[in-house]
Amino acid sequence: MPQLDTSTWLVTIIAMILMLFILIQLKFHKYSYPLSPAPKTFKSTSFPTPWETKWTKIYSPLLLPQQ
Amino acid sequence: MNENLFSSFITPTMMGLPIVILIIMFPTLLFPIPTRLINNRLVSAQQWLAQLILKQMMMMHSPKGRTWALMLISLIMFIGSTNLLGLLPHSFTPTTQLSMNLGMAIPLWAGAVITGFRYKTKASLAHFLPQGTPVPLIPMLVIIETISLFIQPMALAVRLTANITAGHLLMHLIGSAALALISISPTTALITFIILILLTILEFAVALIQAYVFTLLVSLYLHDNT
């Protein structure tokens, strides 16, 4: 059975080691797996300014002193 | 007749030059490196496939086992592409060579086992004795478990070699039988040809399955040891 002819074993093993451990890994480590490009929804984190925290009636436009 | 049948498994050398090196390295050309943000179809399809395989395989491993991700994806792609290329007529399949399969199986298995011994010595040694064995059976069971541990790389290599070699041999035999039967009785030749087609479909499946099984077992040995 020609697979048991050990004269060629060395060159086959060396070629395989070169291929598997170096060449193919060099190809696969360049692959990138990006997340899907769908937009994310986000809530804005703005805080209300001090004069907006409390609604006071005097700031209603119709109640300001008429010019 | 014997010499003719096994001639496709002789390591190819052309006038003394070992072109088996070129044959083993040929599948690298089929995996282009992604250079753009949006790549062409071939590269995108391969990236998608790699991501699918990685997610499936690496889910069951601990973070330590996941450091082997590049190795395992390279392994399954290499064996799969080599086996599929070997289904082309008159091609040489490197995975039929026992030398190459031993060279793949022994270092990977040894790496997994030595990692296990180094980081989880007690747990690795505990694998030698399944839970709940009756006390008198312990020595014999330790011997059996040791043998079954050391046979793992041999089984990995021989399983891959034998499956691919047997498939190729069957295709040769049935193909030459169909060819010889054409002049004798065309109907039998047609039946034999249909058998050949079915066998080829099986061989496609076997090519992929063997790659998967090899990688799965290596991954299992890794899981036991991380």
Side-chain angles (χ1 to χ4, degrees):
Chain A
M1 208 171 96
Q3 281 104 328
L4 297 176
D5 164 33
T6 45
S7 63
T8 53
W9 273 26
L10 188 65
V11 69
T12 318
I13 292 180
I14 290 180
M16 179 276 299
I17 286 180
L18 190 65
M19 169 68 163
L20 185 64
F21 292 98
I22 301 176
L23 291 180
I24 274 233
Q25 293 196 10
L26 282 172
K27 298 257 170 177
F28 280 98
H29 104 275
K30 293 270 194 331
Y31 278 13
S32 62
Y33 309 106
L35 300 167
S36 78
K40 287 190 179 30
T41 56
F42 55 94
K43 294 197 273 284
S44 66
T45 54
S46 64
F47 294 96
T49 47
W51 61 84
E52 282 167 3
T53 50
K54 215 161 89 148
W55 170 254
T56 42
K57 237 168 111 180
I58 58 172
Y59 289 115
S60 165
L62 295 172
L63 292 173
L64 283 173
Q66 304 288 328
Q67 269 97 21
Chain B
M1 163 51 182
N2 269 343
E3 193 48 59
N4 218 358
L5 189 59
F6 283 104
S7 61
S8 61
F9 300 119
I10 302 177
T11 322
T13 52
M14 190 184 275
M15 302 197 301
L17 289 170
I19 55 175
V20 59
I21 298 183
L22 295 174
I23 297 177
I24 290 182
M25 298 207 199
F26 176 68
T28 332
L29 296 175
L30 303 173
F31 294 108
I33 298 182
T35 45
R36 303 261 185 277
L37 187 65
I38 309 286
N39 294 295
N40 57 20
R41 268 178 285 213
L42 180 64
V43 173
S44 303
Q46 286 173 353
Q47 275 184 313
W48 168 82
L49 187 67
Q51 188 171 16
L52 185 77
I53 296 175
L54 270 177
K55 270 207 259 195
Q56 182 67 27
M57 265 199 319
M58 291 293 139
M59 253 196 318
M60 67 172 198
H61 286 134
S62 60
K64 186 154 184 56
R66 287 186 191 158
T67 55
W68 281 53
L70 183 62
M71 183 73 237
L72 290 176
I73 188 77
S74 308
L75 189 67
I76 190 171
M77 289 303 212
F78 174 57
I79 301 182
S81 60
T82 316
N83 286 346
L84 284 173
L85 280 175
L87 290 171
L88 297 167
H90 295 291
S91 61
F92 171 70
T93 319
T95 36
T96 54
Q97 301 302 304
L98 191 60
S99 51
M100 184 170 107
N101 295 336
L102 278 174
M104 284 197 287
I106 294 184
L108 290 169
W109 166 85
V113 166
I114 291 178
T115 315
F117 271 144
R118 224 177 122 197
Y119 292 106
K120 300 194 332 183
T121 321
K122 255 198 293 185
S124 306
L125 286 174
H127 277 129
F128 284 128
L129 194 62
Q131 265 182 342
T133 50
V135 174
L137 281 177
I138 288 181
M140 200 179 69
L141 213 55
V142 169
I143 295 176
I144 292 179
E145 289 287 329
T146 315
I147 295 176
S148 92
L149 180 75
F150 281 98
I151 226 173
Q152 279 172 351
M154 302 298 152
L156 268 178
V158 173
R159 180 187 302 116
L160 185 57
T161 315
N163 271 307
I164 308 293
T165 313
H168 285 232
L169 271 176
L170 263 179
M171 284 203 290
H172 268 274
L173 281 170
I174 295 189
S176 48
L179 195 63
L181 278 173
I182 285 181
S183 49
I184 302 176
S185 140
T187 352
T188 329
L190 191 64
I191 296 175
T192 324
F193 187 65
I194 293 176
I195 296 179
L196 184 64
I197 293 181
L198 293 175
L199 198 60
T200 313
I201 296 174
L202 177 69
E203 284 309 307
F204 270 100
V206 166
L208 297 170
I209 290 172
Q210 285 304 313
Y212 171 66
V213 165
F214 197 101
T215 314
L216 189 69
L217 285 172
V218 170
S219 142
L220 214 65
Y221 301 150
L222 185 65
H223 186 67
D224 277 344
N225 287 307
T226 45

